[in-house]
Amino acid sequence: MAWDEWEQLKADAKERGSTHMRLNHVAPIEGNTTYGDLKVTNDDLAAIGKEAHSLYNQLWKKARVAQTTSESAAGDLTKQGFTLGKGLKHVHQRWEDQLKSLLDACAQISNHMHVTQKIHSGDDGYIARTMSSIDTLDAGFDDRVGAPGKKNPVYESPKPKKK
């Protein structure tokens, strides 16, 4: 880009008045008051955990086959006096280290999603129970719930259900 062109672009920007900068902000979407909220359902967490578990199983079955094959080939080559055996042994060791790391990561993701799912469902239940008891308490103090002088129906014992 030529210097003159750069100066022209700066002058055009100054004319438009676009010298202000906004950081960490997006203009609200018209009519949308809940943008920016992160929502994750138990189905989403279960799907992520299932995929991580599936990847773990595939790595366990398929990658370990290559691992044992390379290990035996390295041993055979070394016994036969080939220098390549030592190099293959090194590659095998690296493969084993990386495979263990990847298997650990997959297991951790799978377990974390399972635990997160349980924790959040427990949180949802706790919030629902807490809100329910607050509604009952509020109803007990609300004069509009029952007729004056009569028992508040919120505190009546539940009637047996008809069969």
Side-chain angles (χ1 to χ4, degrees):
M1 178 184 299
W3 188 257
D4 294 334
E5 186 180 0
W6 173 247
E7 289 300 323
Q8 182 61 43
L9 289 172
K10 286 183 3 186
D12 290 346
K14 189 174 183 179
E15 251 179 55
R16 287 190 309 265
S18 61
T19 57
H20 300 290
M21 182 185 291
R22 286 187 180 177
L23 296 177
N24 297 328
H25 182 299
V26 174
I29 300 169
E30 195 169 318
N32 185 359
T33 59
T34 60
Y35 73 95
D37 290 340
L38 175 63
K39 292 183 181 180
V40 179
T41 64
N42 279 342
D43 292 341
D44 296 331
L45 296 174
I48 293 168
K50 182 179 177 184
E51 288 300 319
H53 185 70
S54 174
L55 179 58
Y56 179 91
N57 287 337
Q58 289 177 29
L59 286 169
W60 183 261
K61 290 176 187 173
K62 296 175 183 173
R64 288 179 39 119
V65 171
Q67 178 185 9
T68 55
T69 305
S70 65
E71 184 178 25
S72 66
D76 287 346
L77 288 170
T78 303
K79 285 178 189 175
Q80 295 174 24
F82 289 100
T83 310
L84 182 61
K86 188 176 180 182
L88 191 54
K89 178 70 175 171
H90 177 76
V91 170
H92 163 74
Q93 188 61 43
R94 285 281 165 245
W95 177 267
E96 187 176 326
D97 293 345
Q98 294 299 318
L99 180 60
K100 284 179 182 177
S101 177
L102 191 54
L103 286 169
D104 287 347
C106 289
Q108 188 174 3
I109 290 168
S110 179
N111 293 340
H112 183 71
M113 292 298 109
H114 190 69
V115 168
T116 301
Q117 189 177 10
K118 283 186 175 182
I119 289 170
H120 286 297
S121 64
D123 290 346
D124 289 345
Y126 172 75
I127 291 168
R129 289 189 308 274
T130 302
M131 296 307 290
S132 171
S133 64
I134 290 172
D135 288 343
T136 303
L137 185 61
D138 284 347
F141 286 104
D142 191 353
D143 293 334
R144 298 169 290 167
V145 171
K150 295 198 177 187
K151 288 186 176 182
N152 189 329
V154 171
Y155 296 111
E156 289 180 0
S157 58
K159 296 177 183 175
K161 294 181 181 180
K162 295 179 183 177
K163 291 184 181 180

